[in-house]
Amino acid sequence: MARSGYFFPDKTSEICIVNLIIQSKESEVMIPAKGYASQNPEADLAPWNFQIREVGPHDVQIRIMYCGVCHTDLHQMKNDWFPGIFPMVPGHEIVGEVVKTGGHVKKFQPGDRAGVGTMVDTCGSCHDCTNGHEQFCSEGAVWTYNSMGKDGHPTYGGYANTIVVNENFAFQVSKTLDPAGVGPLLCAGITTYSPLRRFNVGKGHRLAVLGLGGLGHMAVKFGLAFGADVTVLSNSPVKRQAALDLGAHHFVDTSDTGQMVEVKGSFDFIIDCVSAKHDLNLYLGLLRTNGVHICVGLPVEPYEISPFSLLSGNKSVVGTGAGGLQETQEMLDFCATHQITADVELIDIKNIQAAFERMVRGDVRYRFVIDLNSL
Ligand code: NAP
Ligand code: ZN
């Protein structure tokens, strides 16, 4: 059954389908796994034992070392965008060690370091799959969690000790990089790398990064690596020094009208990484003529855009969703060459709820990463 990230049947029918499929597959050999799951949208995460499929000929099994905590995990656990599949084991910023490979696996050997990002399967043959945009697969990508796998089982993510995935959806990770800082590259990294590459952002461009969280700090790092002049736009004035320490050339407190007026009409690109409701019209005014506002954040409420904000200066508003398989590997290789990783706060999985609360307050520098040894 195909599922796209943004088109879901109603929750009741979904749960029935899940139960039916699990019952009909009772004779299958499964691998026991343990992790943290939420049992419904109101519940906190708690320890949970579950089963995943045995390693098939094209699969690898990964012992998960670290998993980043993406704001998307919280949106999905809370049914912010659509009804989810519960129990839900979140996590799509996974890095670990390959412990078992299927007979036909070519890319990995046991002992290799591997990463898994937002998706674990697609049709492989549609226009998008054959053009490097597997995340937009016309049959609907199978997402790493909160999705229905082609094996008929719900998918479970990286807040767990292990995952089995087709080798095409696992990425090679250089052992020269600190693995804890690699996890967030698999979502926050590719989601910001991809649009900056698409628009050839680099030397001579003024790039503004709106919202200095997990995605935002990776956008700063890539913007700097590509040679752009980088400004952080933040509603947290306390982040000024931290932003400059990251290497940003300028910092603007978006709650200070004076500072906002100073940068009016000055940016070629704004990459918008904000997770909550905000007024795009305000930020469109900060773009130069022909400037582009790149939406990567996913607030629950739709944006309201005045046509005047767009036509005055030929502005564009565009979106971007994660990245394709080849581009994700390219991004990881770029990070290995330039020694780029996320700045992380390592946490014990028992402290995940406190981490969510701090993330919602914007109080994280810049990504919580779960150490799965603590499971
Ligand atoms: P995050 O670490 O929580 O960062 C979000 C940042 O938004 C905060 O640090 C804060 O930055 C700013 N912010 C929060 N509330 C705000 C408010 N009320 N007004 C203005 N600014 C506010 O989240 P993340 O993990 O980076 O994810 C950001 C968004 O991207 C989420 O909605 C997530 O679901 C989405 N996402 C999209 C994709 C995709 O494929 N497009 C992939 C991954 C994630 P300041 O304190 O600096 O203002
Ligand atoms: Zn994510």
Side-chain angles (χ1 to χ4, degrees):
M1 180 190 153
R3 288 171 59 101
S4 101
Y6 306 100
F7 177 72
F8 288 81
D10 76 82
K11 194 174 169 189
T12 325
S13 60
E14 188 70 62
I15 288 168
C16 292
I17 290 165
V18 171
N19 288 340
L20 269 175
I21 290 166
I22 289 173
Q23 277 166 22
S24 69
K25 301 246 169 189
E26 263 171 9
S27 56
E28 269 185 65
V29 181
M30 303 288 278
I31 298 174
K34 60 179 180 171
Y36 266 47
S38 70
Q39 300 295 327
N40 61 63
E42 282 75 45
D44 284 354
L45 282 172
W48 188 59
N49 293 325
F50 56 102
Q51 297 195 314
I52 54 175
R53 72 167 184 264
E54 183 50 276
V55 178
H58 299 279
D59 290 339
V60 293
Q61 184 182 3
I62 297 169
R63 175 181 69 80
I64 301 175
M65 297 160 68
Y66 300 101
C67 185
V69 178
C70 182
H71 209 113
T72 294
D73 300 343
L74 196 55
H75 285 306
Q76 299 218 61
M77 281 168 51
K78 297 295 162 206
N79 279 357
D80 273 354
W81 303 324
F82 42 72
I85 302 174
F86 292 89
M88 187 188 298
V89 179
H92 59 200
E93 294 188 337
I94 297 167
V95 64
E97 182 195 9
V98 174
V99 290
K100 193 171 174 188
T101 54
H104 294 176
V105 167
K106 297 191 180 74
K107 223 164 71 175
F108 293 99
Q109 292 182 342
D112 285 351
R113 189 150 295 158
V116 178
T118 58
M119 58 185 158
V120 289
D121 212 350
T122 62
C123 83
S125 56
C126 72
H127 181 76
D128 278 320
C129 283
T130 51
N131 283 281
H133 301 298
E134 293 86 353
Q135 73 274 34
F136 307 128
C137 173
S138 63
E139 283 190 16
V142 177
W143 307 108
T144 302
Y145 67 90
N146 194 19
S147 197
M148 189 56 70
K150 292 191 177 154
D151 56 5
H153 296 283
T155 56
Y156 300 119
Y159 294 13
N161 63 338
T162 189
I163 189 167
V164 170
V165 60
N166 180 300
E167 68 164 332
N168 293 333
F169 291 83
F171 302 99
Q172 290 161 315
V173 172
S174 166
K175 285 189 177 170
T176 64
L177 294 172
D178 169 21
V182 166
L185 301 180
L186 276 306
C187 176
I190 183 60
T191 303
T192 50
Y193 178 95
S194 179
L196 299 185
R197 279 302 199 210
R198 173 152 62 109
F199 291 103
N200 286 318
V201 175
K203 217 168 162 27
H205 288 138
R206 287 204 70 195
L207 168 70
V209 176
L210 177 57
L212 192 59
L215 268 60
H217 96 289
M218 288 312 308
V220 170
K221 290 190 180 212
F222 288 130
L224 293 172
F226 301 159
D229 181 271
V230 177
T231 300
V232 167
L233 305 174
S234 170
N235 75 347
S236 309
V238 290
K239 291 183 183 171
R240 174 181 294 276
Q241 193 53 50
L244 300 177
D245 291 346
L246 261 183
H249 300 101
H250 320 275
F251 181 91
V252 172
D253 171 3
T254 55
S255 61
D256 181 325
T257 314
Q259 290 185 36
M260 289 289 274
V261 168
E262 269 178 39
V263 290
K264 204 166 173 286
S266 69
F267 300 115
D268 300 288
F269 299 95
I270 296 175
I271 181 161
D272 181 342
C273 306
V274 172
S275 53
K277 187 175 181 177
H278 57 292
D279 181 5
L280 281 206
N281 301 290
L282 194 64
Y283 300 103
L284 288 168
L286 306 188
L287 287 171
R288 283 177 174 158
T289 295
N290 290 330
V292 181
H293 188 105
I294 305 165
C295 295
V296 297
L298 286 162
V300 180
E301 300 84 359
Y303 294 123
E304 277 181 29
I305 302 175
S306 158
F308 291 100
S309 304
L310 292 173
L311 63 84
S312 165
N314 295 348
K315 315 281 172 63
S316 309
V317 176
V318 303
T320 187
L325 296 178
Q326 194 185 327
E327 194 176 35
T328 303
Q329 188 62 59
E330 173 195 309
M331 177 272 309
L332 287 166
D333 296 344
F334 179 89
C335 288
T337 304
H338 297 269
Q339 286 296 296
I340 294 173
T341 50
D343 291 4
V344 308
E345 282 192 48
L346 265 191
I347 58 163
D348 188 312
I349 198 161
K350 286 193 282 298
N351 299 327
I352 184 66
Q353 287 304 133
F356 282 147
E357 282 162 29
R358 280 187 53 200
M359 182 173 71
V360 169
R361 291 201 303 271
D363 175 24
V364 48
R365 304 290 162 76
Y366 288 92
R367 196 53 135 194
F368 288 115
V369 168
I370 303 166
D371 178 352
L372 271 312
N373 273 325
S374 64
L375 192 61

